[in-house]
Coordinates of all heavy atoms in Angstrom, one line a residue:
K12 N 0.8 -1.2 0.0 CA 0.0 0.0 0.0 C 0.9 1.3 0.0 O 0.6 2.2 -0.7 CB -0.9 0.0 1.2 CG -1.9 1.1 1.2 CD -2.9 0.9 2.4 CE -3.9 2.1 2.3 NZ -4.8 2.0 3.4
W13 N 1.9 1.3 0.8 CA 2.9 2.4 0.8 C 4.2 1.8 1.3 O 4.3 0.7 1.7 CB 2.4 3.6 1.6 CG 2.0 3.3 3.0 CD1 2.8 3.0 4.1 CD2 0.6 3.4 3.5 NE1 2.0 2.8 5.2 CE2 0.7 3.1 4.9 CE3 -0.6 3.7 2.9 CZ2 -0.4 3.0 5.7 CZ3 -1.7 3.6 3.7 CH2 -1.6 3.3 5.1
N14 N 5.2 2.6 1.3 CA 6.5 2.2 1.6 C 6.7 1.8 3.1 O 5.9 2.2 3.9 CB 7.5 3.3 1.2 CG 8.9 2.7 0.8 OD1 9.1 1.5 0.9 ND2 9.7 3.6 0.3
A15 N 7.8 1.1 3.4 CA 8.1 0.8 4.8 C 8.4 2.0 5.6 O 8.8 3.0 5.1 CB 9.3 -0.2 4.9
Y16 N 8.2 2.0 6.9 CA 8.5 3.1 7.8 C 9.0 2.5 9.2 O 8.9 1.3 9.4 CB 7.3 4.0 8.0 CG 6.0 3.3 8.5 CD1 5.7 3.4 9.8 CD2 5.2 2.6 7.6 CE1 4.6 2.7 10.3 CE2 4.0 2.0 8.1 CZ 3.7 2.0 9.4 OH 2.6 1.4 9.9
D17 N 9.5 3.4 10.0 CA 10.0 3.1 11.3 C 11.0 2.0 11.2 O 11.1 1.0 12.0 CB 8.9 2.7 12.3 CG 8.0 3.8 12.7 OD1 8.5 5.0 12.6 OD2 6.9 3.6 13.1
A18 N 11.9 2.1 10.2 CA 12.9 1.1 10.0 C 14.1 1.2 10.9 O 14.5 2.3 11.2 CB 13.4 1.1 8.5
T19 N 14.7 0.1 11.4 CA 15.9 0.1 12.1 C 16.8 -1.0 11.5 O 16.3 -2.0 11.1 CB 15.7 -0.2 13.6 OG1 15.1 -1.5 13.8 CG2 14.8 0.9 14.3
V20 N 18.1 -0.8 11.5 CA 19.0 -1.8 11.0 C 20.1 -2.0 12.0 O 20.7 -1.0 12.5 CB 19.6 -1.3 9.7 CG1 20.7 -2.3 9.2 CG2 18.6 -1.0 8.6
D21 N 20.4 -3.2 12.3 CA 21.5 -3.6 13.3 C 22.4 -4.5 12.5 O 22.3 -5.7 12.4 CB 20.9 -4.4 14.5 CG 21.9 -4.8 15.5 OD1 23.1 -4.7 15.2 OD2 21.5 -5.4 16.5
L22 N 23.4 -3.9 11.8 CA 24.3 -4.6 10.9 C 25.2 -5.6 11.7 O 25.5 -6.7 11.2 CB 25.2 -3.6 10.2 CG 24.6 -2.8 9.1 CD1 25.6 -1.8 8.5 CD2 24.0 -3.7 8.0
A23 N 25.6 -5.2 12.9 CA 26.4 -6.1 13.7 C 25.8 -7.4 14.0 O 26.5 -8.5 14.1 CB 26.8 -5.4 15.0
N24 N 24.5 -7.4 14.2 CA 23.8 -8.7 14.5 C 23.0 -9.2 13.3 O 22.2 -10.2 13.4 CB 22.8 -8.5 15.7 CG 23.6 -8.3 16.9 OD1 24.4 -9.1 17.3 ND2 23.4 -7.2 17.6
G25 N 23.1 -8.5 12.1 CA 22.4 -9.0 10.9 C 20.9 -8.9 11.1 O 20.2 -9.8 10.6
R26 N 20.4 -7.9 11.7 CA 18.9 -7.8 11.9 C 18.4 -6.4 11.4 O 19.1 -5.4 11.4 CB 18.6 -7.9 13.4 CG 18.9 -9.2 14.0 CD 18.7 -9.2 15.5 NE 19.1 -10.4 16.0 CZ 18.4 -11.1 16.8 NH1 17.2 -10.8 17.1 NH2 18.8 -12.3 17.3
C27 N 17.2 -6.4 11.0 CA 16.5 -5.2 10.7 C 15.0 -5.3 11.1 O 14.5 -6.5 11.2 CB 16.6 -4.8 9.2 SG 15.7 -5.9 8.1
S28 N 14.4 -4.2 11.2 CA 12.9 -4.3 11.5 C 12.3 -3.1 10.8 O 13.0 -2.0 10.5 CB 12.6 -4.2 13.0 OG 13.0 -3.0 13.5
F29 N 11.0 -3.2 10.4 CA 10.3 -2.1 9.8 C 8.8 -2.4 9.8 O 8.4 -3.6 10.1 CB 10.7 -2.0 8.3 CG 10.6 -3.2 7.5 CD1 9.4 -3.5 6.8 CD2 11.7 -4.1 7.4 CE1 9.3 -4.7 6.1 CE2 11.6 -5.3 6.6 CZ 10.4 -5.6 6.0
D30 N 8.0 -1.4 9.7 CA 6.6 -1.5 9.6 C 6.1 -1.3 8.2 O 6.8 -0.5 7.4 CB 5.9 -0.5 10.5 CG 6.0 -0.8 12.0 OD1 6.1 -2.1 12.3 OD2 6.0 0.1 12.8
T31 N 5.1 -2.0 7.8 CA 4.5 -1.8 6.5 C 3.0 -1.9 6.6 O 2.5 -2.3 7.7 CB 4.9 -3.0 5.5 OG1 4.3 -4.2 5.9 CG2 6.4 -3.1 5.3
A32 N 2.3 -1.4 5.6 CA 0.8 -1.5 5.6 C 0.4 -2.9 5.1 O 1.0 -3.5 4.3 CB 0.2 -0.4 4.7
W33 N -0.6 -3.4 5.7 CA -1.3 -4.6 5.3 C -0.6 -5.9 5.7 O -0.6 -6.3 6.8 CB -1.7 -4.6 3.9 CG -2.7 -3.5 3.6 CD1 -2.4 -2.2 3.1 CD2 -4.1 -3.5 3.8 NE1 -3.5 -1.5 3.1 CE2 -4.6 -2.2 3.5 CE3 -5.0 -4.4 4.3 CZ2 -5.9 -1.9 3.6 CZ3 -6.3 -4.1 4.4 CH2 -6.8 -2.8 4.1
T34 N 0.1 -6.5 4.8 CA 0.6 -7.8 5.0 C 2.1 -7.9 4.9 O 2.8 -7.0 4.4 CB 0.0 -8.8 4.0 OG1 0.4 -8.4 2.7 CG2 -1.5 -8.9 4.0
C35 N 2.6 -9.0 5.4 CA 4.1 -9.3 5.3 C 4.5 -9.3 3.8 O 3.8 -9.9 3.0 CB 4.4 -10.7 5.9 SG 6.1 -11.2 5.7
P36 N 5.5 -8.5 3.4 CA 5.9 -8.4 2.0 C 6.7 -9.7 1.5 O 7.8 -9.6 1.1 CB 6.7 -7.2 2.0 CG 7.4 -7.1 3.3 CD 6.3 -7.7 4.3
E37 N 6.0 -10.8 1.5 CA 6.7 -12.1 1.2 C 7.3 -12.1 -0.2 O 8.5 -12.5 -0.3 CB 5.7 -13.2 1.3 CG 6.3 -14.6 1.3 CD 5.4 -15.7 1.6 OE1 4.5 -15.6 2.4 OE2 5.5 -16.8 0.9
P38 N 6.7 -11.6 -1.2 CA 7.4 -11.6 -2.5 C 8.7 -10.8 -2.5 O 9.7 -11.2 -3.1 CB 6.4 -11.0 -3.5 CG 5.1 -11.2 -2.9 CD 5.3 -11.1 -1.4
L39 N 8.7 -9.7 -1.8 CA 9.9 -8.9 -1.7 C 11.0 -9.6 -0.9 O 12.2 -9.6 -1.3 CB 9.6 -7.5 -1.0 CG 10.8 -6.7 -0.7 CD1 11.4 -6.1 -1.9 CD2 10.5 -5.6 0.3
L40 N 10.6 -10.3 0.1 CA 11.5 -11.1 0.9 C 12.1 -12.2 0.2 O 13.3 -12.6 0.3 CB 10.9 -11.5 2.2 CG 10.5 -10.3 3.1 CD1 9.5 -10.8 4.2 CD2 11.7 -9.6 3.7
Q41 N 11.3 -12.9 -0.7 CA 11.8 -13.9 -1.5 C 12.8 -13.4 -2.5 O 13.9 -14.1 -2.7 CB 10.6 -14.6 -2.3 CG 9.8 -15.5 -1.4 CD 8.6 -16.1 -2.1 OE1 7.8 -15.3 -2.7 NE2 8.4 -17.4 -2.0
K42 N 12.6 -12.3 -3.1 CA 13.6 -11.7 -4.0 C 14.9 -11.3 -3.2 O 16.0 -11.6 -3.7 CB 13.1 -10.4 -4.7 CG 12.0 -10.8 -5.7 CD 11.5 -9.6 -6.4 CE 10.5 -10.0 -7.4 NZ 10.0 -8.9 -8.2
L43 N 14.8 -10.8 -2.0 CA 16.0 -10.6 -1.2 C 16.7 -11.9 -0.9 O 18.0 -11.9 -1.1 CB 15.6 -9.9 0.1 CG 16.7 -9.6 1.1 CD1 17.7 -8.6 0.5 CD2 16.2 -9.2 2.4
S44 N 16.0 -12.9 -0.6 CA 16.6 -14.2 -0.3 C 17.3 -14.7 -1.6 O 18.4 -15.3 -1.5 CB 15.5 -15.2 0.2 OG 16.1 -16.5 0.3
A45 N 16.7 -14.5 -2.7 CA 17.4 -15.0 -4.0 C 18.7 -14.3 -4.2 O 19.6 -14.9 -4.8 CB 16.4 -14.8 -5.1
R46 N 18.8 -13.0 -3.8 CA 20.1 -12.3 -4.0 C 21.2 -12.8 -3.1 O 22.4 -12.6 -3.3 CB 19.9 -10.8 -3.7 CG 19.1 -10.1 -4.8 CD 19.1 -8.7 -4.7 NE 20.5 -8.2 -4.9 CZ 20.9 -7.0 -4.8 NH1 20.0 -6.1 -4.5 NH2 22.2 -6.6 -5.0
F47 N 20.8 -13.5 -2.0 CA 21.8 -14.1 -1.0 C 21.4 -15.6 -0.8 O 21.0 -16.0 0.2 CB 21.7 -13.3 0.3 CG 22.0 -11.9 0.1 CD1 21.0 -10.9 0.0 CD2 23.3 -11.4 0.1 CE1 21.2 -9.6 -0.2 CE2 23.5 -10.0 -0.1 CZ 22.5 -9.1 -0.2
P48 N 21.6 -16.4 -1.9 CA 21.1 -17.8 -1.9 C 21.7 -18.7 -0.8 O 21.1 -19.7 -0.5 CB 21.4 -18.3 -3.3 CG 22.6 -17.4 -3.8 CD 22.3 -16.0 -3.1
D49 N 22.9 -18.3 -0.3 CA 23.5 -19.2 0.7 C 23.1 -18.9 2.1 O 23.4 -19.6 3.1 CB 25.0 -19.1 0.6 CG 25.5 -19.7 -0.8 OD1 24.9 -20.6 -1.3 OD2 26.6 -19.2 -1.2
E50 N 22.4 -17.8 2.3 CA 22.0 -17.3 3.6 C 20.6 -17.7 3.9 O 19.7 -17.7 3.1 CB 22.1 -15.8 3.7 CG 23.5 -15.2 3.5 CD 24.5 -15.7 4.5 OE1 24.1 -15.9 5.7 OE2 25.6 -15.9 4.1
E51 N 20.3 -18.1 5.1 CA 19.0 -18.4 5.6 C 18.4 -17.1 6.2 O 19.1 -16.5 7.1 CB 18.9 -19.5 6.6 CG 17.5 -19.8 7.1 CD 17.5 -20.9 8.2 OE1 17.8 -20.6 9.3 OE2 17.1 -22.0 7.8
I52 N 17.3 -16.6 5.7 CA 16.7 -15.4 6.3 C 15.5 -15.8 7.0 O 14.6 -16.5 6.5 CB 16.3 -14.5 5.1 CG1 17.6 -14.0 4.4 CG2 15.5 -13.3 5.6 CD1 17.3 -13.2 3.1
V53 N 15.4 -15.4 8.3 CA 14.3 -15.7 9.2 C 13.5 -14.4 9.3 O 14.0 -13.4 9.7 CB 14.7 -16.2 10.5 CG1 13.5 -16.5 11.4 CG2 15.6 -17.5 10.4
V54 N 12.2 -14.5 9.0 CA 11.3 -13.3 9.1 C 10.3 -13.6 10.2 O 9.6 -14.6 10.1 CB 10.6 -13.1 7.8 CG1 9.6 -11.9 7.9 CG2 11.6 -12.9 6.7
V55 N 10.2 -12.7 11.2 CA 9.2 -12.9 12.2 C 8.3 -11.6 12.1 O 8.9 -10.5 12.1 CB 9.8 -12.9 13.6 CG1 8.8 -13.0 14.7 CG2 10.8 -14.1 13.7
Y56 N 7.0 -11.8 11.9 CA 6.2 -10.6 11.7 C 4.9 -10.7 12.4 O 4.4 -11.8 12.8 CB 5.9 -10.5 10.2 CG 5.1 -11.6 9.6 CD1 3.7 -11.4 9.4 CD2 5.7 -12.8 9.2 CE1 3.0 -12.4 8.8 CE2 4.9 -13.8 8.6 CZ 3.6 -13.6 8.5 OH 2.8 -14.6 7.9
A57 N 4.3 -9.5 12.6 CA 3.0 -9.4 13.2 C 2.4 -8.0 12.9 O 3.2 -7.0 12.9 CB 3.0 -9.5 14.8
D58 N 1.2 -7.9 12.6 CA 0.6 -6.6 12.3 C -0.2 -6.1 13.5 O -0.3 -6.7 14.5 CB -0.2 -6.6 11.0 CG -1.5 -7.3 11.0 OD1 -2.0 -7.6 12.1 OD2 -2.1 -7.4 10.0
E59 N -0.7 -4.9 13.3 CA -1.4 -4.3 14.4 C -2.7 -5.0 14.8 O -3.3 -4.7 15.9 CB -1.7 -2.8 14.1 CG -2.6 -2.5 13.0 CD -1.9 -2.6 11.6 OE1 -0.7 -2.7 11.5 OE2 -2.7 -2.5 10.6
D60 N -3.2 -5.8 14.0 CA -4.4 -6.6 14.3 C -3.9 -7.8 15.1 O -3.8 -8.9 14.5 CB -5.2 -7.0 13.0 CG -6.5 -7.7 13.3 OD1 -7.0 -7.6 14.4 OD2 -7.0 -8.3 12.3
V61 N -3.6 -7.6 16.3 CA -2.9 -8.6 17.2 C -3.5 -10.0 17.1 O -4.6 -10.2 17.5 CB -2.8 -8.1 18.6 CG1 -2.1 -9.1 19.5 CG2 -2.0 -6.7 18.6
G62 N -2.7 -10.9 16.7 CA -3.0 -12.3 16.6 C -3.4 -12.8 15.2 O -3.5 -14.0 15.0
S63 N -3.7 -11.9 14.4 CA -4.0 -12.2 13.0 C -2.8 -11.7 12.1 O -2.1 -10.8 12.5 CB -5.2 -11.5 12.5 OG -6.3 -11.9 13.2
N64 N -2.6 -12.4 11.0 CA -1.5 -12.0 10.1 C -0.2 -11.9 10.8 O 0.4 -10.8 10.9 CB -1.9 -10.7 9.4 CG -0.9 -10.4 8.2 OD1 -0.3 -11.3 7.6 ND2 -0.7 -9.1 8.0
C65 N 0.2 -13.0 11.4 CA 1.5 -13.0 12.1 C 2.1 -14.4 11.9 O 1.4 -15.4 11.6 CB 1.4 -12.6 13.5 SG 0.3 -13.7 14.5
G66 N 3.4 -14.5 12.1 CA 4.1 -15.8 12.1 C 5.6 -15.7 11.8 O 6.2 -14.6 11.9
T67 N 6.1 -16.8 11.4 CA 7.6 -16.9 11.1 C 7.8 -17.6 9.7 O 7.1 -18.6 9.5 CB 8.3 -17.7 12.2 OG1 8.0 -17.1 13.5 CG2 9.8 -17.8 11.9
L68 N 8.6 -17.0 8.9 CA 9.0 -17.6 7.7 C 10.5 -17.8 7.7 O 11.3 -16.9 8.2 CB 8.7 -16.6 6.5 CG 7.3 -16.2 6.3 CD1 7.2 -15.1 5.2 CD2 6.4 -17.4 5.9
K69 N 11.0 -18.9 7.1 CA 12.4 -19.1 6.8 C 12.6 -19.2 5.3 O 11.9 -20.0 4.7 CB 12.9 -20.3 7.5 CG 13.0 -20.2 9.0 CD 13.6 -21.4 9.7 CE 13.6 -21.2 11.2 NZ 14.2 -22.3 11.9
L70 N 13.5 -18.4 4.8 CA 13.7 -18.4 3.4 C 15.2 -18.7 3.1 O 16.1 -18.4 3.8 CB 13.4 -17.0 2.8 CG 12.0 -16.4 3.0 CD1 12.0 -15.4 4.1 CD2 11.5 -15.9 1.8
K71 N 15.4 -19.4 2.0 CA 16.7 -19.7 1.5 C 16.6 -19.8 0.0 O 15.8 -20.5 -0.6 CB 17.3 -21.0 2.1 CG 18.7 -21.2 1.8 CD 19.4 -22.1 2.8 CE 20.9 -22.1 2.4 NZ 21.7 -22.8 3.4
G72 N 17.6 -19.2 -0.7 CA 17.6 -19.3 -2.1 C 16.4 -18.8 -2.9 O 16.1 -19.2 -3.9
G73 N 15.7 -17.8 -2.3 CA 14.5 -17.3 -2.9 C 13.2 -18.1 -2.6 O 12.2 -17.7 -3.1
C74 N 13.3 -19.1 -1.8 CA 12.1 -19.9 -1.5 C 11.8 -19.9 0.0 O 12.7 -19.9 0.8 CB 12.4 -21.4 -1.9 SG 12.6 -21.5 -3.7
V75 N 10.6 -20.0 0.3 CA 10.2 -20.3 1.7 C 10.4 -21.7 2.0 O 9.8 -22.6 1.4 CB 8.7 -19.9 1.9 CG1 8.3 -20.2 3.4 CG2 8.4 -18.4 1.6
V76 N 11.3 -22.0 3.0 CA 11.6 -23.4 3.3 C 10.9 -23.9 4.6 O 10.9 -25.1 4.9 CB 13.1 -23.6 3.4 CG1 13.8 -23.4 2.0 CG2 13.8 -22.7 4.5
E77 N 10.4 -22.9 5.3 CA 9.6 -23.2 6.5 C 8.6 -22.1 6.8 O 9.0 -20.9 6.6 CB 10.6 -23.4 7.7 CG 10.0 -24.0 8.9 CD 11.0 -24.3 10.0 OE1 12.1 -24.8 9.7 OE2 10.7 -24.0 11.2
R78 N 7.4 -22.5 7.2 CA 6.4 -21.5 7.4 C 5.6 -21.9 8.7 O 5.1 -23.0 8.8 CB 5.5 -21.4 6.2 CG 4.3 -20.5 6.3 CD 3.4 -20.7 5.1 NE 4.0 -20.5 3.8 CZ 4.2 -19.4 3.2 NH1 3.7 -18.3 3.7 NH2 4.8 -19.3 2.0
D79 N 5.4 -21.0 9.6 CA 4.6 -21.2 10.8 C 3.8 -19.9 11.0 O 4.3 -18.9 11.6 CB 5.4 -21.5 12.0 CG 4.5 -21.8 13.3 OD1 3.3 -22.1 13.1 OD2 5.1 -21.6 14.4
V80 N 2.6 -19.8 10.4 CA 1.8 -18.6 10.4 C 0.5 -18.8 11.0 O 0.0 -20.0 11.0 CB 1.7 -18.0 9.0 CG1 3.1 -17.6 8.4 CG2 1.0 -18.9 8.0
S81 N -0.1 -17.8 11.5 CA -1.4 -17.9 12.1 C -2.5 -18.2 11.1 O -2.5 -17.6 10.0 CB -1.8 -16.6 12.9 OG -1.9 -15.5 11.9
P82 N -3.4 -19.1 11.4 CA -4.6 -19.3 10.5 C -5.5 -18.1 10.6 O -5.3 -17.2 11.4 CB -5.2 -20.6 11.1 CG -4.2 -21.2 12.1 CD -3.4 -20.0 12.5
R83 N -6.6 -18.2 9.8 CA -7.6 -17.1 9.9 C -8.1 -17.1 11.4 O -8.3 -18.1 12.0 CB -8.7 -17.4 9.0 CG -8.3 -17.3 7.5 CD -9.4 -17.8 6.6 NE -10.7 -17.3 7.0 CZ -11.5 -16.6 6.2 NH1 -11.1 -16.3 5.0 NH2 -12.6 -16.1 6.6
W84 N -8.3 -15.9 11.9 CA -8.8 -15.7 13.2 C -10.1 -16.5 13.5 O -10.3 -17.2 14.5 CB -9.0 -14.2 13.5 CG -9.3 -13.9 14.9 CD1 -10.5 -13.5 15.5 CD2 -8.4 -13.8 16.0 NE1 -10.4 -13.3 16.8 CE2 -9.0 -13.5 17.1 CE3 -7.0 -14.1 16.1 CZ2 -8.4 -13.3 18.4 CZ3 -6.4 -14.0 17.3 CH2 -7.1 -13.6 18.4
S85 N -11.0 -16.5 12.5 CA -12.3 -17.2 12.6 C -12.1 -18.7 12.7 O -13.0 -19.4 13.1 CB -13.2 -16.8 11.5 OG -12.7 -17.2 10.3
D86 N -10.9 -19.2 12.3 CA -10.7 -20.7 12.3 C -10.0 -21.1 13.6 O -9.8 -22.3 13.8 CB -9.8 -21.1 11.1 CG -10.5 -20.9 9.8 OD1 -11.8 -20.9 9.8 OD2 -9.8 -20.8 8.7
L87 N -9.7 -20.2 14.5 CA -8.9 -20.5 15.7 C -9.9 -20.8 16.9 O -10.9 -20.1 17.0 CB -8.0 -19.4 16.1 CG -6.8 -19.2 15.1 CD1 -6.1 -17.9 15.5 CD2 -5.8 -20.4 15.3
D88 N -9.5 -21.7 17.7 CA -10.2 -21.9 19.0 C -9.6 -20.9 20.0 O -8.7 -20.2 19.7 CB -10.2 -23.3 19.4 CG -8.8 -23.9 19.7 OD1 -7.8 -23.1 19.8 OD2 -8.7 -25.1 19.8
E89 N -10.1 -21.0 21.2 CA -9.7 -20.0 22.2 C -8.2 -20.2 22.5 O -7.5 -19.2 22.6 CB -10.5 -20.2 23.5 CG -10.2 -19.2 24.6 CD -11.1 -19.3 25.8 OE1 -12.3 -19.8 25.6 OE2 -10.7 -19.0 26.9
A90 N -7.7 -21.4 22.6 CA -6.3 -21.6 22.8 C -5.4 -21.1 21.7 O -4.4 -20.5 21.9 CB -6.0 -23.1 23.1
G91 N -5.9 -21.3 20.5 CA -5.1 -20.8 19.3 C -5.1 -19.3 19.3 O -4.1 -18.7 18.9
R92 N -6.2 -18.7 19.6 CA -6.2 -17.2 19.6 C -5.3 -16.7 20.7 O -4.6 -15.7 20.5 CB -7.7 -16.7 19.9 CG -8.5 -16.9 18.7 CD -9.9 -16.4 18.9 NE -10.7 -16.6 17.7 CZ -11.9 -16.2 17.5 NH1 -12.6 -15.6 18.5 NH2 -12.6 -16.5 16.4
A93 N -5.3 -17.4 21.8 CA -4.3 -16.9 22.9 C -2.9 -17.1 22.5 O -2.1 -16.2 22.7 CB -4.6 -17.7 24.2
K94 N -2.6 -18.2 21.8 CA -1.2 -18.5 21.4 C -0.7 -17.4 20.4 O 0.3 -16.8 20.6 CB -1.1 -19.8 20.7 CG 0.2 -20.1 20.0 CD 0.1 -21.2 19.0 CE 1.4 -21.2 18.1 NZ 1.4 -22.2 17.1
W95 N -1.5 -17.1 19.4 CA -1.1 -16.2 18.3 C -1.2 -14.7 18.8 O -0.4 -13.9 18.4 CB -1.9 -16.4 17.0 CG -1.5 -17.6 16.4 CD1 -2.2 -18.8 16.3 CD2 -0.2 -17.8 15.7 NE1 -1.4 -19.7 15.6 CE2 -0.2 -19.2 15.2 CE3 0.9 -17.0 15.5 CZ2 0.9 -19.7 14.5 CZ3 2.0 -17.6 14.8 CH2 1.9 -18.9 14.3
R96 N -2.1 -14.4 19.8 CA -2.1 -13.1 20.4 C -0.8 -12.9 21.2 O -0.2 -11.8 21.0 CB -3.3 -13.0 21.3 CG -3.5 -11.7 22.0 CD -4.8 -11.6 22.8 NE -4.7 -10.5 23.8 CZ -4.7 -9.3 23.5 NH1 -4.8 -8.9 22.2 NH2 -4.6 -8.3 24.4
A97 N -0.4 -13.8 22.0 CA 0.8 -13.7 22.7 C 2.0 -13.6 21.8 O 2.9 -12.8 22.0 CB 1.0 -14.9 23.7
F98 N 2.1 -14.4 20.7 CA 3.1 -14.3 19.7 C 3.2 -12.9 19.2 O 4.3 -12.3 19.2 CB 2.9 -15.3 18.6 CG 3.9 -15.2 17.5 CD1 5.1 -15.9 17.5 CD2 3.6 -14.4 16.4 CE1 6.0 -15.8 16.5 CE2 4.5 -14.3 15.3 CZ 5.7 -15.0 15.4
A99 N 2.1 -12.3 18.7 CA 2.1 -11.0 18.1 C 2.5 -9.9 19.1 O 3.2 -9.0 18.7 CB 0.7 -10.7 17.5
L100 N 2.0 -10.0 20.3 CA 2.4 -9.0 21.3 C 3.9 -9.0 21.5 O 4.5 -8.0 21.6 CB 1.6 -9.2 22.6 CG 0.2 -8.9 22.6 CD1 -0.5 -9.3 23.9 CD2 -0.1 -7.4 22.4
G101 N 4.5 -10.2 21.6 CA 5.9 -10.4 21.7 C 6.7 -9.8 20.6 O 7.7 -9.1 20.8
V102 N 6.2 -10.0 19.3 CA 6.9 -9.5 18.2 C 6.8 -8.0 18.2 O 7.8 -7.3 17.9 CB 6.3 -10.0 16.9 CG1 6.8 -9.3 15.6 CG2 6.5 -11.5 16.7
K103 N 5.7 -7.4 18.5 CA 5.5 -6.0 18.5 C 6.2 -5.3 19.7 O 6.4 -4.1 19.7 CB 4.0 -5.6 18.5 CG 3.3 -6.1 17.3 CD 3.7 -5.4 16.0 CE 3.1 -4.1 15.9 NZ 3.5 -3.4 14.6
G104 N 6.5 -6.1 20.7 CA 7.1 -5.6 21.9 C 6.0 -4.9 22.8 O 6.3 -3.9 23.5
W105 N 4.8 -5.3 22.7 CA 3.7 -4.7 23.3 C 3.2 -5.6 24.5 O 3.5 -6.8 24.5 CB 2.5 -4.5 22.4 CG 2.6 -3.6 21.3 CD1 3.6 -2.7 21.1 CD2 1.7 -3.4 20.2 NE1 3.4 -2.0 19.9 CE2 2.2 -2.4 19.4 CE3 0.5 -4.0 19.9 CZ2 1.6 -1.9 18.2 CZ3 -0.1 -3.6 18.7 CH2 0.4 -2.5 17.9
T106 N 2.5 -4.9 25.4 CA 1.8 -5.6 26.5 C 0.3 -5.5 26.2 O -0.1 -4.8 25.3 CB 2.1 -5.0 27.9 OG1 1.5 -3.7 27.9 CG2 3.6 -5.0 28.2
D107 N -0.5 -6.3 27.0 CA -1.9 -6.1 26.8 C -2.4 -4.7 27.0 O -3.2 -4.2 26.3 CB -2.7 -7.0 27.8 CG -2.6 -8.5 27.4 OD1 -2.7 -8.8 26.2 OD2 -2.5 -9.3 28.4
E108 N -1.7 -4.0 27.9 CA -2.1 -2.6 28.2 C -1.7 -1.7 27.0 O -2.5 -0.8 26.7 CB -1.4 -2.1 29.5 CG -1.9 -2.7 30.7 CD -1.3 -4.1 31.0 OE1 -0.2 -4.4 30.5 OE2 -2.0 -4.9 31.6
D109 N -0.6 -1.9 26.4 CA -0.2 -1.2 25.2 C -1.2 -1.3 24.1 O -1.6 -0.4 23.4 CB 1.2 -1.6 24.6 CG 2.3 -1.3 25.6 OD1 2.2 -0.3 26.3 OD2 3.3 -2.1 25.6
E110 N -1.7 -2.6 23.9 CA -2.6 -2.8 22.8 C -4.0 -2.2 23.1 O -4.6 -1.6 22.3 CB -2.8 -4.3 22.5 CG -3.6 -4.5 21.3 CD -4.5 -5.7 21.3 OE1 -4.6 -6.4 22.3 OE2 -5.3 -5.8 20.3
D111 N -4.4 -2.3 24.4 CA -5.7 -1.7 24.8 C -5.6 -0.2 24.6 O -6.6 0.4 24.1 CB -6.0 -2.0 26.2 CG -6.3 -3.4 26.5 OD1 -6.7 -4.1 25.5 OD2 -6.3 -3.9 27.6
A112 N -4.5 0.5 24.8 CA -4.4 1.9 24.7 C -4.4 2.3 23.2 O -4.9 3.4 22.9 CB -3.1 2.4 25.3
A113 N -4.0 1.4 22.3 CA -3.9 1.7 20.9 C -5.3 1.6 20.2 O -5.5 2.2 19.2 CB -3.0 0.8 20.2
E114 N -6.2 0.9 20.9 CA -7.6 0.7 20.3 C -8.4 2.0 20.4 O -8.3 2.8 21.1 CB -8.3 -0.4 20.9 CG -7.6 -1.7 20.6 CD -8.3 -3.0 21.2 OE1 -9.1 -2.8 22.2 OE2 -8.0 -4.1 20.8

């Protein structure tokens, strides 16, 4: 929808973070992975809709080699919702109170 924002880069540890609108930019990340085919790239993501559209991708050689992503919110039971909500809060670095204040 628009470009990334709030980007940080930690070259010493080989990490970066950024925010984007809508969904994880998987096609872009696959292209990045293809440029560095010998490196495994691990992507951990969560959007502001805490518990939905979040997960972990591992890429190598331009391909997703491992995927652990949240199912549709409506397909989750209470335990699944709690799991993915906790995951997303951890990725965002938020607490329950932080998320409540954002609503």
